Amino acid sequence: METKNAPILSLVIPMKNEAANIDPLFLRLFPVLRGLGLAFEVICIDDGSTDETLEKLLQQKPSCPELTVLSFSRNFGQHAAVMAGFEQAGGRWIITMDADLQNPPEEIPKLVAAFQEGYDLVGTYREGRQDPFFRKFASDMVNRLTRKISGVSLKDFGCMLRGYTSAIAKQLARQKEYRIFIPALATLYAKNPVEIPVSHAARTGGVSNYSFMKLLSLQLDLMTSLSLVPLRLLFLLGSAIAIFGISFGVLLIALRLILGATWAAQGIFTLFAVLFILIGGQFIAFGLLGEYIGRIFQEVRGHPTYVIRDVFSGNPTASFRASETESNDISPISST
Ligand code: UDP
Ligand code: MG
């Protein structure tokens, strides 16, 4: 018998090669969820695992009526898996987490409490993060850089134990972006976000799915998620080189006039000045191309031009606060 009619809470857990973690995860997760006293569902997405992840999930199915398993045809990546979970989720509140128990399930009630307080986006930051030094250092740098260039001030973009109201999750799922970094993008739609500390543990079993190259690609997804600043840097760099070239040229002319023709070494320095000006010009041209490409990029992604937070119409009974309704619509208006 399925008991998952109208869940309030949906857990979305992407899994790639997590066979070793499924039993320990479920042993800790389900008691926590049952203890909440809310109707819930757990959606696990097998993201093209090559081990027994899917078999293990299907073994759990008979004893866990709240479990839904989605199986991808191949590996599409953690964020794509989460998006599939968002689309499937029926709960009002949706919580994502990793399958390797790095996000302790015992922290879930904290996120639920934040939802109950009225927050619609529950971000988290990892306290006492249990990852190799290189990972922590790299992610610290990326967090700083992303805060700067995106203007979104999240403490920790990387922690995937996060909560979204269904309005936000469905909006993200509708967007159908191919390369997406969910925590960063969700901030676009949040009306009342909060960030809370959660504890972090070392991976229980198996190995991390992120090689250096995959991490790099993920970080680029994060950086390009919200900003065109990297493209604009080309323009700035070009301008700086060109200004340097022009100043150098002016200096050469001045020195030539003051010190005479013998000093000028057959114009070799002048060639350098011309070179800098040309290179600068090239970068400025790249930057301009980048501007156009960036605009096309934004258009293709279809981010809303604006998101309405609340509507207060003349008639008080007709006005509504979107955050207090169970509607999935938060009125995004796509750019044309
Ligand atoms: N994951 C996934 N698809 C991938 C990579 C990762 O579904 O292509 C899942 C993985 O099973 C885990 C979560 O995403 O539940 C985080 O991955 P992992 O623990 O390997 O990353 P790390 O903690 O090392 O950053
Ligand atoms: Mg992990």
Coordinates of all heavy atoms in Angstrom, one line a residue, residues 106-148:
E106 N 20.2 13.7 10.7 CA 19.7 14.3 11.9 C 19.6 15.8 11.9 O 19.0 16.4 12.8 CB 20.6 13.9 13.1 CG 20.7 12.4 13.4 CD 21.5 11.5 12.4 OE1 22.3 12.1 11.7 OE2 21.2 10.3 12.3
E107 N 20.1 16.4 10.9 CA 20.0 17.9 10.7 C 18.7 18.3 10.0 O 18.4 19.5 10.0 CB 21.2 18.4 9.9 CG 22.6 18.2 10.5 CD 22.9 19.2 11.7 OE1 21.9 19.7 12.3 OE2 24.0 19.4 12.0
I108 N 18.0 17.3 9.4 CA 16.8 17.7 8.7 C 15.8 18.4 9.5 O 15.2 19.4 9.0 CB 16.2 16.4 8.0 CG1 17.2 15.9 6.9 CG2 14.8 16.6 7.5 CD1 16.8 14.6 6.3
P109 N 15.5 18.0 10.8 CA 14.5 18.8 11.5 C 14.8 20.3 11.6 O 13.9 21.1 11.6 CB 14.6 18.2 12.9 CG 15.0 16.8 12.6 CD 16.0 16.9 11.5
K110 N 16.1 20.7 11.6 CA 16.5 22.1 11.6 C 16.0 22.8 10.4 O 15.5 23.9 10.5 CB 18.0 22.3 11.6 CG 18.7 22.2 12.9 CD 20.1 22.8 12.7 CE 21.1 22.2 13.7 NZ 22.5 22.6 13.4
L111 N 16.1 22.1 9.2 CA 15.6 22.7 8.0 C 14.1 22.9 8.0 O 13.5 23.9 7.6 CB 16.1 21.9 6.8 CG 17.5 22.2 6.3 CD1 18.5 21.5 7.2 CD2 17.7 21.9 4.9
V112 N 13.4 21.8 8.5 CA 12.0 21.8 8.6 C 11.5 22.9 9.5 O 10.6 23.7 9.2 CB 11.4 20.4 9.1 CG1 9.9 20.5 9.3 CG2 11.8 19.4 8.0
A113 N 12.2 23.1 10.6 CA 11.9 24.2 11.6 C 12.0 25.5 10.8 O 11.1 26.4 11.0 CB 12.8 24.2 12.8
A114 N 13.0 25.7 10.0 CA 13.1 27.0 9.3 C 12.0 27.2 8.3 O 11.4 28.3 8.2 CB 14.5 27.0 8.5
F115 N 11.5 26.1 7.6 CA 10.4 26.2 6.8 C 9.1 26.6 7.6 O 8.3 27.5 7.2 CB 10.0 24.9 6.1 CG 10.9 24.6 4.9 CD1 11.5 23.4 4.8 CD2 11.0 25.5 3.9 CE1 12.3 23.1 3.6 CE2 11.8 25.2 2.7 CZ 12.4 24.0 2.6
Q116 N 9.0 26.0 8.8 CA 7.8 26.3 9.6 C 7.9 27.8 10.1 O 6.8 28.3 10.3 CB 7.8 25.3 10.8 CG 7.2 24.0 10.4 CD 7.5 22.9 11.4 OE1 8.4 23.0 12.2 NE2 6.7 21.8 11.2
E117 N 9.1 28.3 10.2 CA 9.2 29.7 10.6 C 8.8 30.6 9.4 O 8.8 31.9 9.6 CB 10.6 30.1 11.1 CG 10.8 29.6 12.5 CD 12.3 29.8 12.8 OE1 12.9 30.8 12.5 OE2 12.8 28.8 13.4
G118 N 8.7 30.1 8.2 CA 8.2 30.9 7.1 C 9.3 31.2 6.0 O 9.1 31.9 5.1
Y119 N 10.5 30.6 6.2 CA 11.6 30.8 5.2 C 11.3 29.9 4.0 O 10.7 28.9 4.1 CB 12.9 30.4 5.8 CG 13.4 31.4 6.9 CD1 13.4 30.9 8.2 CD2 13.7 32.7 6.6 CE1 13.7 31.8 9.2 CE2 14.1 33.5 7.7 CZ 14.1 33.1 9.0 OH 14.4 33.9 10.0
D120 N 11.6 30.5 2.8 CA 11.3 29.7 1.6 C 12.5 29.1 0.9 O 12.4 28.3 0.0 CB 10.5 30.5 0.6 CG 11.3 31.7 0.1 OD1 12.3 32.0 0.7 OD2 10.9 32.3 -0.9
L121 N 13.7 29.5 1.4 CA 14.9 28.9 0.9 C 15.9 28.7 2.1 O 16.3 29.7 2.7 CB 15.6 29.9 -0.2 CG 16.9 29.4 -0.8 CD1 16.6 28.1 -1.6 CD2 17.5 30.4 -1.7
V122 N 16.1 27.5 2.4 CA 16.9 27.2 3.6 C 18.3 26.8 3.1 O 18.6 25.6 2.7 CB 16.3 26.1 4.5 CG1 17.0 26.1 5.8 CG2 14.8 26.4 4.7
G123 N 19.2 27.7 3.1 CA 20.6 27.4 2.8 C 21.3 26.9 4.0 O 20.9 27.1 5.1
T124 N 22.5 26.3 3.8 CA 23.2 25.7 4.9 C 24.7 26.0 4.7 O 25.1 26.1 3.5 CB 23.0 24.2 5.0 OG1 23.3 23.6 3.8 CG2 21.6 23.9 5.4
Y125 N 25.4 26.1 5.8 CA 26.9 26.1 5.6 C 27.4 25.0 6.6 O 26.9 24.7 7.6 CB 27.5 27.4 5.9 CG 27.1 28.1 7.1 CD1 27.8 28.0 8.3 CD2 25.9 28.9 7.2 CE1 27.5 28.7 9.5 CE2 25.5 29.6 8.4 CZ 26.3 29.4 9.5 OH 25.9 30.1 10.6
R126 N 28.5 24.4 6.1 CA 29.0 23.2 6.8 C 30.0 23.7 7.9 O 30.9 24.4 7.7 CB 29.8 22.3 5.8 CG 28.9 21.7 4.8 CD 29.7 21.1 3.6 NE 30.0 22.1 2.6 CZ 30.4 21.9 1.4 NH1 30.5 20.6 1.0 NH2 30.6 22.8 0.5
E127 N 29.6 23.2 9.1 CA 30.5 23.5 10.2 C 31.4 22.3 10.5 O 30.9 21.1 10.4 CB 29.7 23.8 11.5 CG 29.3 25.2 11.5 CD 28.7 25.6 12.8 OE1 28.1 24.7 13.5 OE2 28.7 26.8 13.2
G128 N 32.7 22.5 10.6 CA 33.6 21.4 10.8 C 33.6 20.5 9.6 O 33.5 19.2 9.7
R129 N 33.8 21.1 8.5 CA 33.7 20.3 7.2 C 34.8 19.2 7.2 O 36.0 19.4 7.4 CB 33.9 21.3 6.0 CG 33.7 20.6 4.7 CD 33.6 21.6 3.6 NE 33.7 20.8 2.4 CZ 33.8 21.4 1.2 NH1 33.9 22.7 1.1 NH2 33.9 20.6 0.1
Q130 N 34.4 18.0 6.9 CA 35.2 16.8 6.8 C 35.6 16.4 5.4 O 35.1 15.4 4.9 CB 34.6 15.6 7.5 CG 34.1 15.9 8.9 CD 35.3 16.1 9.9 OE1 36.3 15.3 9.8 NE2 35.2 17.1 10.7
D131 N 36.4 17.3 4.8 CA 36.9 16.9 3.4 C 38.4 17.2 3.4 O 38.9 17.9 4.2 CB 36.1 17.9 2.4 CG 34.8 17.2 1.9 OD1 34.8 16.0 1.7 OD2 33.9 18.0 1.7
P132 N 39.0 16.6 2.4 CA 40.5 16.9 2.3 C 40.8 18.4 2.2 O 40.0 19.2 1.7 CB 40.9 16.2 1.0 CG 39.8 15.2 0.7 CD 38.5 15.8 1.3
F133 N 42.0 18.7 2.7 CA 42.4 20.2 2.7 C 42.2 20.8 1.4 O 41.7 21.9 1.3 CB 43.8 20.3 3.2 CG 44.3 21.7 3.1 CD1 44.0 22.7 4.0 CD2 45.2 22.1 2.1 CE1 44.4 24.0 3.9 CE2 45.6 23.4 1.9 CZ 45.2 24.3 2.9
F134 N 42.6 20.1 0.3 CA 42.6 20.7 -1.0 C 41.1 21.1 -1.4 O 40.8 22.2 -1.9 CB 43.1 19.7 -2.0 CG 42.5 19.8 -3.4 CD1 42.8 20.8 -4.3 CD2 41.6 18.8 -3.8 CE1 42.2 20.9 -5.5 CE2 41.0 18.8 -5.0 CZ 41.3 19.9 -5.9
R135 N 40.2 20.2 -1.0 CA 38.8 20.5 -1.3 C 38.2 21.7 -0.6 O 37.5 22.6 -1.1 CB 37.9 19.3 -1.0 CG 38.0 18.1 -1.9 CD 37.4 18.5 -3.3 NE 36.0 18.8 -3.2 CZ 35.0 17.9 -3.3 NH1 35.3 16.6 -3.6 NH2 33.8 18.2 -3.3
K136 N 38.6 21.8 0.7 CA 38.1 22.9 1.5 C 38.7 24.2 1.1 O 38.0 25.2 1.0 CB 38.5 22.6 3.0 CG 37.6 21.6 3.6 CD 37.8 21.5 5.1 CE 39.0 20.8 5.6 NZ 39.0 20.4 7.0
F137 N 40.0 24.2 0.7 CA 40.7 25.4 0.3 C 40.1 25.9 -1.0 O 39.7 27.0 -1.2 CB 42.2 25.1 0.1 CG 43.0 26.3 -0.4 CD1 43.2 27.3 0.5 CD2 43.4 26.3 -1.7 CE1 44.0 28.4 0.0 CE2 44.2 27.4 -2.1 CZ 44.4 28.4 -1.3
A138 N 39.9 24.9 -2.0 CA 39.4 25.3 -3.3 C 38.0 25.8 -3.1 O 37.6 26.8 -3.8 CB 39.4 24.0 -4.2
S139 N 37.2 25.2 -2.3 CA 35.8 25.6 -2.2 C 35.7 27.0 -1.5 O 34.8 27.8 -1.8 CB 35.0 24.5 -1.6 OG 34.3 24.6 -0.6
D140 N 36.6 27.2 -0.6 CA 36.7 28.5 0.1 C 37.0 29.6 -1.0 O 36.3 30.7 -1.0 CB 37.8 28.5 1.1 CG 37.7 29.7 2.0 OD1 36.6 30.0 2.4 OD2 38.8 30.3 2.3
M141 N 37.9 29.4 -1.8 CA 38.3 30.3 -2.9 C 37.1 30.6 -3.8 O 36.7 31.7 -4.2 CB 39.4 29.8 -3.8 CG 40.7 29.5 -3.1 SD 41.5 31.0 -2.5 CE 42.2 31.6 -4.0
V142 N 36.5 29.4 -4.2 CA 35.3 29.5 -5.2 C 34.2 30.3 -4.5 O 33.5 31.1 -5.1 CB 34.9 28.1 -5.6 CG1 33.6 28.2 -6.3 CG2 35.9 27.5 -6.5
N143 N 33.9 30.0 -3.2 CA 32.8 30.7 -2.5 C 33.1 32.2 -2.5 O 32.2 33.0 -2.8 CB 32.7 30.2 -1.1 CG 31.9 28.9 -1.0 OD1 31.0 28.7 -1.8 ND2 32.2 28.1 0.0
R144 N 34.3 32.6 -2.2 CA 34.7 34.0 -2.2 C 34.5 34.7 -3.6 O 33.8 35.7 -3.7 CB 36.1 34.2 -1.8 CG 36.4 34.3 -0.4 CD 37.9 34.1 -0.2 NE 38.2 33.6 1.1 CZ 38.5 34.3 2.2 NH1 38.5 35.6 2.1 NH2 38.7 33.7 3.3
L145 N 35.1 34.0 -4.6 CA 35.0 34.5 -5.9 C 33.6 34.7 -6.4 O 33.1 35.7 -7.0 CB 35.8 33.6 -6.8 CG 36.1 34.1 -8.2 CD1 37.0 35.3 -8.1 CD2 36.8 33.0 -9.0
T146 N 32.8 33.6 -6.1 CA 31.4 33.6 -6.6 C 30.6 34.7 -5.9 O 29.8 35.4 -6.5 CB 30.7 32.3 -6.3 OG1 31.6 31.3 -6.8 CG2 29.4 32.1 -7.0
R147 N 30.9 34.9 -4.6 CA 30.2 36.0 -3.9 C 30.5 37.3 -4.6 O 29.6 38.1 -4.8 CB 30.7 36.1 -2.4 CG 29.9 35.2 -1.5 CD 30.1 35.6 -0.1 NE 31.5 35.3 0.4 CZ 31.9 34.1 0.9 NH1 31.0 33.1 1.1 NH2 33.1 33.9 1.2
K148 N 31.7 37.5 -4.9 CA 32.2 38.8 -5.6 C 31.5 39.0 -6.9 O 30.9 40.0 -7.2 CB 33.7 38.8 -5.8 CG 34.5 39.3 -4.6 CD 35.3 40.5 -5.0 CE 35.6 41.4 -3.9 NZ 36.1 40.7 -2.7

